[in-house]
Amino acid sequence: DAGVTQSPTHLIKTRGQQVTLRCSPKSGHDTVSWYQQALGQGPQFIFQYYEEEERQRGNFPDRFSGHQFPNYSSELNVNALLLGDSALYLCASSSITDTQYFGPGTRLTVL
Amino acid sequence: GQQLNQSPQSMFIQEGEDVSMNCTSSSIFNTWLWYKQDPGEGPVLLIALYKAGELTSNGRLTAQFGITRKDSFLNISASIPSDVGIYFCAGPGLTSNTGKLIFGQGTTLQVKP
């Protein structure tokens, strides 16, 4: 039974570019949450998707957007990248009966 | 807003020693989760607590949900080198038990063989 998977594992972009990160949830999970983790910090909630809609959002600008597909997989898009967007981006999946399990993350470096 | 405070911030112990770390909040949490994160990896769920006063074990790990619902602790017995990592407590925000998780700042554990 595959857990949460994310791609790519690493990514290097330059300021002003756009990036798309991908996540496949754990089998049986229908909800996907995205978190940003800066070095030395705990993960910070970006948003959560359920039934292909954004259900809850943290304190992140509109440059951060997402999408959930009918198979429950999800994408995180970040536009107009800033140096401060460099971080580990974590995807977590869950269901009404199961708590959040995290993927290995995507390390984004913005130069 | 809701915040979780973890202590200690870091620990350096000898292999075989027991470890205790805790997490406190000024507001009530209905669920407490403990995760471990290795460098460059995502957090791995260790223990989930759903009821005030609950004491749950997972191998050498034991965690308790404080009776006031404002704290939780995690104990590791007979530590081994692979226990090295960052331990995070987390809990759901007030709006939903299935929504965003709020994380503490983490306790970094180092184990000397």
Side-chain angles (χ1 to χ4, degrees):
Chain A
D1 177 24
V4 180
T5 59
Q6 292 186 242
S7 63
T9 53
H10 294 86
L11 206 50
I12 298 175
K13 293 285 187 178
T14 56
R15 278 180 298 175
Q17 284 190 311
Q18 177 263 342
V19 69
T20 297
L21 311 181
R22 294 176 177 83
C23 171
S24 291
K26 187 174 183 281
S27 177
H29 285 181
D30 56 9
T31 302
V32 173
S33 303
W34 287 91
Y35 293 80
Q36 181 195 65
Q37 187 177 24
L39 206 60
Q41 308 278 329
Q44 297 289 317
F45 177 79
I46 303 174
F47 43 54
Q48 184 181 79
Y49 276 83
Y50 172 71
E51 291 187 341
E52 302 178 50
E53 297 213 348
E54 184 183 290
R55 178 159 75 173
Q56 198 175 8
R57 189 177 183 94
N59 190 24
F60 279 80
D62 292 344
R63 298 187 297 109
F64 290 77
S65 63
H67 188 77
Q68 186 178 34
F69 298 94
N71 67 353
Y72 309 121
S73 67
S74 176
E75 288 182 349
L76 164 66
N77 301 294
V78 187
N79 294 322
L81 284 167
L82 303 173
L83 295 178
D85 294 333
S86 295
L88 182 68
Y89 286 85
L90 296 163
C91 166
S93 73
S94 57
S95 70
I96 193 72
T97 58
D98 203 7
T99 191
Q100 293 184 30
Y101 289 82
F102 285 81
T106 294
R107 172 69 63 187
L108 172 65
T109 301
V110 182
L111 302 176
Chain B
Q2 289 179 293
Q3 283 188 318
L4 292 176
N5 298 304
Q6 288 188 246
S7 64
Q9 193 172 2
S10 63
M11 305 177 76
F12 191 91
I13 63 168
Q14 197 77 30
E15 182 178 359
E17 289 183 349
D18 296 344
V19 171
S20 185
M21 59 189 79
N22 73 328
C23 188
T24 60
S25 171
S26 58
S27 55
I28 288 171
F29 278 77
N30 293 318
T31 299
W32 288 90
L33 306 169
W34 284 94
Y35 290 88
K36 177 180 182 249
Q37 187 174 29
D38 292 329
E41 301 287 330
V44 173
L45 182 66
L46 299 174
I47 292 179
L49 302 160
Y50 299 106
K51 189 176 174 182
E54 179 182 354
L55 185 71
T56 298
S57 292
N58 178 8
R60 293 178 297 104
L61 278 61
T62 302
Q64 184 157 30
F65 191 142
I67 200 74
T68 64
R69 294 196 282 160
K70 292 184 178 182
D71 63 345
S72 176
F73 71 75
L74 175 70
N75 287 342
I76 305 173
S77 63
S79 59
I80 58 178
S82 63
D83 291 333
V84 165
I86 305 175
Y87 291 80
F88 289 100
C89 62
L94 278 173
T95 54
S96 168
N97 225 27
T98 56
K100 76 174 189 179
L101 290 180
I102 296 166
F103 281 79
Q105 72 272 40
T107 293
T108 300
L109 177 64
Q110 297 187 56
V111 179
K112 184 178 179 182

